[in-house]
């Protein structure tokens, strides 16, 4: 393997380990908490999640992405961005603090005032170590990041469970999330080799700001859209309804967001190294895209089939109203890593302007449709989400493919064999699942998973999919390192 490919594979393995372990711990914690707390408790946190997300996006201003992409940096670049991030994040917290009563009034939830003021402290806390994390990502030090993430998730999770069983209700979630950011920041600060200096270079600020501002605006649009369902459900339905929707969404995102985040963390700095070599970029992009689809498809389809016994097993029948939401969201989950992965090409090529235009166009018409059909019910809104997710993948793939001479038609041709095999196995497994009677929930989930994977991987082997050659290369690489 080439040095670049070896670095990418090593980074991907550590990044995947970090994401799945940290998110796995968080998921186990959420399962325990879901059995103790009420859906309305999770709904209250979901109501203000967009405020926290917007604050974090604004505090960064997209400049950490510029640091990862740019070459020949010195401490002046890092220190300038660090100082600005901290100042902006403190200002944002003050704004959120004073706006809290108005936000609570919007949702008709007066109890949100104190919750939001405490939970939004994570915005300035995270800003103090955003550059340390950026530095580790740029250097592809994903093993070190994993060793930081795991303790923070574990300790905060134990704290959250202890508080929940002690009767703290929604505040057990608040202190859990806040402590996770605090511990993570503390570990990053003391484990990083980089320390800020009293340097604030306006020329460097202008360079990174010009690149980052378009990404920030794009991220703001994306953040608003990704939380638009929580906003509308929280406003026009109840916090309990929002709790059911949030539970379905978080369960769907466990495999999807982990894979997507791990890929983005590795591929962005990797692609940045070859951003001027379109042939090499296309080859790497194609190989990773096929890998993403090959593994995401079965994960989402298995979850779709086994949704009812899975939710009963993990969360008890108290959360049964989440099941139909979850089944539909699994189809939307197929698109999430691909959309994110395609948009990464636009960032690498420096086309943050096109990135922004795409996000505004997509999110504008989607928001209009949401408002038009708001009264049709939550289930209808999720169906709309599935449709628009597939449209977004097509648009993102088309424009990113043009930049590296890898058109949409060529991409579809490369993906069709995997998609057809997955759909064939899906219908076979779905029919078999309908025959499983008088079995425990665990048995249904286990049998469904084994049957699907056996048929899917067996079919891919018989049809001689190239995916196995890549897998052998990864396993061989792991043995050598």
């Amino acid at each position: 393997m080439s040095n670049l490919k070896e670095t990418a594979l090593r980074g991907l393995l550590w990044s995947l380990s970090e994401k799945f372990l940290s998110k796995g711990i968080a998921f186990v914690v959420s399962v325990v908490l879901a059995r103790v707390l009420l859906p309305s408790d999770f709904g209250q946190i979901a109501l203000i999640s967009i405020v926290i997300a917007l604050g974090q996006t604004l505090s960064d201003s997209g400049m950490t992405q510029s640091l990862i992409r740019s070459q020949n940096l010195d401490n002046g670049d890092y220190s300038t961005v660090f100082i600005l991030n901290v100042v902006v994040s403190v200002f944002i917290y003050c704004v959120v603090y004073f706006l809290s009563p108005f936000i609570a009034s919007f949702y008709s939830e007066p109890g949100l005032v104190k919750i939001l003021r405490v939970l939004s402290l994570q915005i300035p806390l995270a800003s103090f170590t955003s550059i340390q994390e950026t530095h580790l990502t740029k250097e592809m030090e994903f093993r070190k990041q994993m060793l930081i993430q795991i303790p923070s998730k574990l300790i905060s999770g134990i704290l959250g469970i202890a508080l929940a069983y002690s009767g703290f209700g929604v505040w057990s979630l608040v202190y859990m999330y806040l402590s996770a950011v605090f511990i993570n920041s503390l570990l990053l600060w003391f484990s990083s080799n980089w320390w800020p200096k009293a340097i604030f270079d306006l020329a460097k600020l202008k360079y990174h700001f010009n690149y980052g501002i378009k990404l920030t605006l794009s991220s703001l649009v994306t953040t608003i859209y990704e939380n638009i369902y929580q906003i509308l459900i929280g406003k026009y339905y109840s916090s309990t309804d929002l709790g059911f929707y949030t539970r379905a969404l978080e369960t769907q995102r466990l495999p999807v967001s982990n894979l997507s985040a791990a890929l983005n963390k590795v591929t962005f700095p990797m692609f940045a190294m070859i951003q001027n070599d379109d042939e090499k970029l296309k080859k790497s992009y194609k190989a990773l895209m096929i890998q993403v689809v090959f593994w995401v498809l079965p994960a989402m389809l298995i979850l779709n089939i086994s949704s009812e016994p899975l939710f009963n097993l993990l969360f008890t029948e108290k959360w049964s109203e989440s099941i139909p939401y979850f089944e539909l969201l699994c189809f939307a989950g197929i698109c999430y890593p691909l959309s994110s992965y395609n948009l990464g090409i636009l960032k690498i090529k420096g086309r943050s302007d096109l990135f922004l235009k795409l996000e505004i166009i997509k999110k504008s018409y989607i928001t209009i449709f949401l408002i038009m059909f708001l009264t049709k019910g939550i289930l209808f809104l999720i169906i709309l989400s599935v449709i628009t997710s597939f449209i977004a993948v097509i648009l993102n793939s088309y424009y990113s493919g043009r930049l590296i001479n890898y058109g949409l038609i060529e991409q579809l041709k490369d993906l069709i064999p995997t998609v057809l095999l997955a759909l064939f196995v899906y219908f076979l497994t779905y029919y078999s699942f309908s025959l499983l009677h008088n079995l425990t929930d665990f048995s249904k989930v286990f049998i469904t998973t084994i049957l699907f994977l056996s048929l899917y991987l067996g079919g891919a082997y018989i049809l001689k999919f190239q995916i196995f050659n890549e897998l052998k290369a990864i396993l061989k690489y792991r043995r050598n390192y």
Side-chain angles (χ1 to χ4, degrees):
M1 289 187 189
S2 65
N3 290 333
L4 179 62
K5 195 168 186 179
E6 290 175 357
T7 302
L9 285 175
R10 180 171 58 186
L12 181 58
L13 290 172
W14 281 115
S15 186
L16 281 172
S17 299
E18 180 258 310
K19 290 298 176 185
F20 277 97
L21 281 173
S22 62
K23 294 293 184 180
I25 292 170
F27 184 71
V28 171
V29 170
S30 73
V31 169
V32 177
L33 292 175
R35 292 169 171 264
V36 181
L37 303 176
L38 298 174
S40 58
D41 294 328
F42 291 91
Q44 284 186 297
I45 297 298
L47 287 173
I48 59 176
S49 61
I50 185 172
V51 179
I52 307 299
L54 289 174
Q56 291 173 333
T57 300
L58 286 170
S59 66
D60 176 66
S61 302
M63 288 189 284
T64 55
Q65 293 289 304
S66 180
L67 290 174
I68 295 174
R69 175 183 176 273
S70 302
Q71 300 176 5
N72 302 319
L73 301 177
D74 56 33
N75 204 13
D77 294 272
Y78 291 108
S79 295
T80 298
V81 176
F82 172 82
I83 293 170
L84 184 68
N85 281 1
V86 171
V87 172
V88 171
S89 66
V90 172
F91 173 76
I92 290 171
Y93 173 75
C94 294
V95 172
V96 171
Y97 185 92
F98 288 108
L99 289 180
S100 295
F102 300 99
I103 296 171
S105 176
F106 173 80
Y107 290 118
S108 300
E109 292 272 357
L112 290 180
V113 176
K114 290 183 179 179
I115 294 174
L116 182 54
R117 285 176 171 174
V118 174
L119 191 58
S120 57
L121 281 169
Q122 64 183 285
I123 297 173
L125 273 176
S127 71
F128 278 94
T129 50
S130 61
I131 304 303
Q132 284 86 341
E133 186 171 7
T134 298
H135 199 271
L136 291 176
T137 300
K138 188 175 179 66
E139 298 299 321
M140 302 190 80
E141 290 281 356
F142 301 112
R143 178 179 178 273
K144 185 176 288 188
Q145 291 187 43
M146 183 190 74
L147 297 177
I148 291 170
Q149 279 283 338
I150 302 307
S152 63
K153 293 292 183 183
L154 193 59
I155 296 171
S156 62
I158 293 173
L159 175 64
I161 292 172
L163 292 174
Y165 274 100
S166 299
F168 277 74
V170 67
W171 284 97
S172 60
L173 297 173
V174 173
Y175 293 130
M176 180 182 72
Y177 292 135
L178 192 59
S179 64
V181 175
F182 175 75
I183 297 169
N184 185 70
S185 297
L186 199 65
L187 293 175
L188 271 171
W189 188 267
F190 289 106
S191 64
S192 174
N193 294 325
W194 179 84
W195 289 80
K197 292 185 178 180
I199 302 174
F200 193 80
D201 191 317
L202 289 177
K204 294 180 183 296
L205 173 64
K206 182 179 179 181
Y207 172 79
H208 295 296
F209 182 80
N210 286 340
Y211 175 83
I213 187 60
K214 298 184 185 71
L215 291 182
T216 300
L217 294 174
S218 301
S219 297
L220 288 174
V221 173
T222 301
T223 300
I224 292 172
Y225 168 72
E226 288 181 345
N227 290 273
I228 193 69
Y229 289 89
Q230 285 95 320
I231 296 172
L232 295 177
I233 294 172
K235 175 63 177 176
Y236 295 99
Y237 296 88
S238 68
S239 58
T240 300
D241 291 327
L242 180 57
F244 287 127
Y245 170 77
T246 304
R247 173 56 50 203
L249 184 65
E250 289 181 352
T251 307
Q252 174 253 43
R253 283 182 174 175
L254 178 65
V256 171
S257 62
N258 283 341
L259 180 59
S260 179
L263 278 170
N264 286 337
K265 184 173 282 190
V266 175
T267 57
F268 191 69
M270 181 189 76
F271 286 164
M273 299 176 189
I274 54 174
Q275 58 185 284
N276 298 318
D277 190 336
D278 286 349
E279 184 178 349
K280 194 175 288 187
L281 190 58
K282 174 184 175 180
K283 185 177 180 181
S284 300
Y285 172 88
K286 176 180 176 179
L288 284 170
M289 182 186 69
I290 294 173
Q291 287 277 353
V292 170
V293 174
F294 186 84
W295 297 111
V296 168
L297 263 176
M300 291 294 98
L301 295 178
I302 290 171
L303 289 173
N304 173 271
I305 296 171
S306 58
S307 57
E308 184 175 352
L310 180 67
F311 264 70
N312 290 338
L313 179 67
L314 294 176
F315 308 116
T316 72
E317 294 182 0
K318 177 174 67 175
W319 293 89
S320 60
E321 289 188 41
S322 297
I323 295 173
Y325 304 159
F326 177 73
E327 290 174 344
L328 289 170
L329 287 170
C330 285
F331 292 114
I334 295 170
C335 304
Y336 186 81
L338 278 175
S339 286
S340 180
Y341 180 47
N342 276 285
L343 291 173
I345 294 295
L346 301 182
K347 296 180 186 178
I348 290 298
K349 284 295 187 178
R351 294 302 306 272
S352 53
D353 58 330
L354 182 56
F355 190 110
L356 175 59
K357 290 177 183 177
L358 269 176
E359 291 304 295
I360 292 175
I361 292 171
K362 289 182 297 183
K363 273 50 177 183
S364 295
Y365 73 75
I366 290 170
T367 303
I368 292 172
F369 287 150
L370 283 174
I371 295 172
M372 287 173 59
F373 299 108
L374 180 61
T375 58
K376 298 292 183 179
I378 298 174
L379 205 60
F380 189 90
L381 296 179
I382 297 175
I383 293 173
L384 186 62
S385 171
V386 175
I387 296 171
T388 54
S389 294
F390 279 94
I391 295 174
V393 168
I394 293 173
L395 288 173
N396 294 339
S397 301
Y398 173 75
Y399 284 102
S400 63
R402 285 179 60 185
L403 294 177
I404 56 174
N405 195 30
Y406 187 37
L408 179 60
I409 300 300
E410 187 179 354
Q411 292 183 49
L412 291 175
K413 286 181 180 179
D414 290 331
L415 296 177
I416 281 175
T418 300
V419 173
L420 290 178
L421 173 63
L423 290 176
F424 177 73
V425 173
Y426 172 76
F427 288 116
L428 281 180
T429 309
Y430 191 88
Y431 174 75
S432 302
F433 179 81
S434 65
L435 302 177
L436 298 177
H437 302 294
N438 302 320
L439 294 177
T440 64
D441 291 328
F442 176 81
S443 298
K444 290 179 180 179
V445 174
F446 181 78
I447 292 172
T448 300
T449 303
I450 296 300
L451 177 61
F452 193 107
L453 290 178
S454 298
L455 292 172
Y456 182 71
L457 295 177
Y461 182 79
I462 293 171
L463 296 172
K464 297 181 180 180
F465 280 21
Q466 290 298 313
I467 201 82
F468 290 104
N469 292 332
E470 291 290 336
L471 183 60
K472 289 178 182 178
I474 292 174
L475 293 175
K476 180 180 178 181
Y477 175 74
R478 288 193 69 180
R479 287 196 297 269
N480 293 336
Y481 286 83

